[in-house]
Amino acid sequence: MKSNTILTITTALGNVAVLAGLVFLIIEMRQTSSIARSEIRQDRSNAMIEEFSQIYSEDSVLSVHMALMEGDLETITGLEKERLFWFERVRYQRFEDVYYQFINGLIDESPFRESMAFAANRKALWGWLGIPKPNAGMNAEVDRFHTSEYFSPEPWAIRFSNWLESKDA
């Protein structure tokens, strides 16, 4: 072979190796970026949960959750509704984080489905409390899950929805 041919083949192989290295580097950077974004979102959710955990640890908040679970909804005072609002707002944020991680491939389907079922049970409650729900993608997923054949509402959620309907009637 001529030295010119060897030089051309060597240059081509070198260029292919550089291109493969760049592709690998881009893949690595995307993965690192996704993980970093996920950690930032998780840190934000943890900070919110920690901030409101004191509210939930009070007996008065536990009593409003018990009233909710037992269907004794007429006894919920304005103050208790406000406490419930803040606790459920943090829950929405946590589910938003789960949704974000799922659509970015950072968690598998099992915890995602469990979280969406939990959120679907809270759909009417969040409406009653006036929880801001800024994530349209997650809201659509909760709506889809709420109307799917796989969703089975919890007894408290059925009682709550029936109570809301009776108040509207």
Side-chain angles (χ1 to χ4, degrees), residues 71-123:
D72 192 13
L73 303 163
E74 296 296 333
T75 64
I76 296 175
T77 67
L79 179 62
E80 289 171 330
K81 187 176 177 182
E82 182 69 15
R83 284 184 178 131
L84 189 59
F85 168 86
W86 287 107
F87 185 75
E88 290 297 327
R89 186 169 180 177
V90 170
R91 276 192 172 157
Y92 178 88
Q93 183 71 39
R94 187 166 38 103
F95 295 135
E96 186 184 38
D97 183 60
V98 170
Y99 173 77
Y100 173 84
Q101 289 186 15
F102 180 74
I103 63 171
N104 285 293
L106 299 172
I107 61 171
D108 64 0
E109 192 169 346
S110 178
F112 173 71
R113 282 184 162 277
E114 181 180 5
S115 292
M116 290 303 102
F118 203 86
N121 273 300
R122 284 171 156 59
K123 186 177 171 184

Side-chain angles (χ1 to χ4, degrees), residues 4-148:
N4 193 21
T5 304
I6 293 173
L7 182 61
T8 302
I9 291 172
T10 306
T11 302
L13 288 174
N15 288 340
V16 168
V18 167
L19 183 60
L22 285 174
V23 168
F24 179 75
L25 182 62
I26 290 169
I27 291 169
E28 286 277 323
M29 287 176 62
R30 284 185 179 172
Q31 287 176 340
T32 301
S33 177
S34 291
I35 290 169
R37 282 193 312 267
S38 176
E39 287 175 351
I40 289 168
R41 289 180 62 89
Q42 187 65 43
D43 287 345
R44 185 179 75 177
S45 293
N46 287 340
M48 290 179 72
I49 289 168
E50 184 177 317
E51 181 178 341
F52 294 113
S53 68
Q54 287 182 320
I55 295 170
Y56 183 61
S57 65
E58 295 177 15
D59 287 346
S60 59
V61 175
L62 291 176
S63 68
V64 76
H65 275 276
M66 288 177 65
L68 181 65
M69 295 298 135
E70 294 169 0
D72 192 13
L73 303 163
E74 296 296 333
T75 64
I76 296 175
T77 67
L79 179 62
E80 289 171 330
K81 187 176 177 182
E82 182 69 15
R83 284 184 178 131
L84 189 59
F85 168 86
W86 287 107
F87 185 75
E88 290 297 327
R89 186 169 180 177
V90 170
R91 276 192 172 157
Y92 178 88
Q93 183 71 39
R94 187 166 38 103
F95 295 135
E96 186 184 38
D97 183 60
V98 170
Y99 173 77
Y100 173 84
Q101 289 186 15
F102 180 74
I103 63 171
N104 285 293
L106 299 172
I107 61 171
D108 64 0
E109 192 169 346
S110 178
F112 173 71
R113 282 184 162 277
E114 181 180 5
S115 292
M116 290 303 102
F118 203 86
N121 273 300
R122 284 171 156 59
K123 186 177 171 184
L125 175 63
W126 288 345
W128 179 65
L129 292 170
I131 301 295
K133 297 180 285 184
N135 190 319
M138 189 194 98
N139 299 335
E141 188 62 34
V142 170
D143 290 343
R144 187 190 66 72
F145 196 84
H146 192 264
T147 58
S148 80

